[in-house]
Amino acid sequence: MTQEERLIQKDRMRFIKNKLPANLALFAILFDVFYFVSIYQSDVRDYYYTMMIGASILYNLVFMLACFLASEGLKNYKMSYAWLIGALGVGQIIRIFVLPAQAHATELKKVGRVMGDSQYAFVVGCLILSAVCCLAAAVIGGVRSKVLKQYLASLETKSA
């Protein structure tokens, strides 16, 4: 790619939306939906009827709202939303060690293990994919935001 093509590409960033990180954020929401549907459809006596599941539901709502907000901010090259979605990605990784790990390690009489190996692998996979999408959106959105900010600053110095 020549220098002129790179310059044109940077100039186009002023007028087009930053779709890739925004779409990655939406995929993160989708994988989170797969995760919580798998957890919440489980009917293992009253194991899931605790404060932990209430906190999990609340976190899912906050995650989805914050992730959608971040996707809209990333579309407009806002660096602060890259940090937000990065933190959400780290939160998804931490979640692996809370509810799924506890449910997988717990055995109930007459029922057996609360979360079987296949469901555990599925929900951990969903959380990992969600985290990867969040972190990729954060990196791509952050880099592109920085490039556009530097380009706009260079335009201001040239016009001054």
Side-chain angles (χ1 to χ4, degrees):
M1 188 180 294
T2 66
Q3 181 69 21
E4 185 177 319
E5 289 172 338
R6 283 189 217 128
L7 187 62
I8 291 170
Q9 189 176 24
K10 287 179 187 177
D11 196 49
R12 284 191 64 211
M13 289 174 72
R14 294 187 309 165
F15 307 107
I16 61 172
K17 298 288 184 185
N18 196 6
K19 292 180 186 174
L20 178 60
N23 289 339
L24 285 170
L26 296 178
F27 276 118
I29 293 172
L30 179 67
F31 291 123
D32 187 64
V33 168
F34 290 152
Y35 160 78
F36 77 74
V37 166
S38 177
I39 295 279
Y40 302 156
Q41 78 177 0
S42 299
D43 187 22
V44 185
R45 293 192 166 197
D46 58 351
Y47 177 79
Y48 287 118
Y49 302 124
T50 63
M51 290 295 285
M52 177 65 78
I53 202 71
S56 176
I57 291 169
L58 187 61
Y59 183 83
N60 276 320
L61 292 172
V62 169
F63 172 82
M64 289 187 290
L65 289 171
C67 201
F68 183 75
L69 176 68
S71 78
E72 291 300 311
L74 287 171
K75 273 186 194 176
N76 295 311
Y77 299 95
K78 305 287 186 194
M79 179 64 87
S80 59
Y81 291 104
W83 288 107
L84 171 64
I85 200 155
L88 291 172
V90 171
Q92 291 295 80
I93 293 170
I94 293 170
R95 288 179 77 184
I96 294 170
F97 304 104
V98 184
L99 186 64
Q102 290 175 358
H104 185 66
T106 303
E107 294 217 18
L108 298 176
K109 293 179 183 177
K110 298 181 185 177
V111 176
R113 190 174 280 167
V114 172
M115 185 182 290
D117 292 337
S118 61
Q119 184 186 15
Y120 180 70
F122 178 74
V123 297
V124 167
C126 288
L127 287 174
I128 289 171
L129 288 171
S130 180
V132 166
C133 288
C134 284
L135 295 174
V139 170
I140 294 168
V143 167
R144 288 181 178 179
S145 296
K146 185 177 179 181
V147 166
L148 181 60
K149 184 177 179 180
Q150 289 173 346
Y151 177 70
L152 291 175
S154 73
L155 288 178
E156 286 180 16
T157 58
K158 286 181 185 177
S159 67

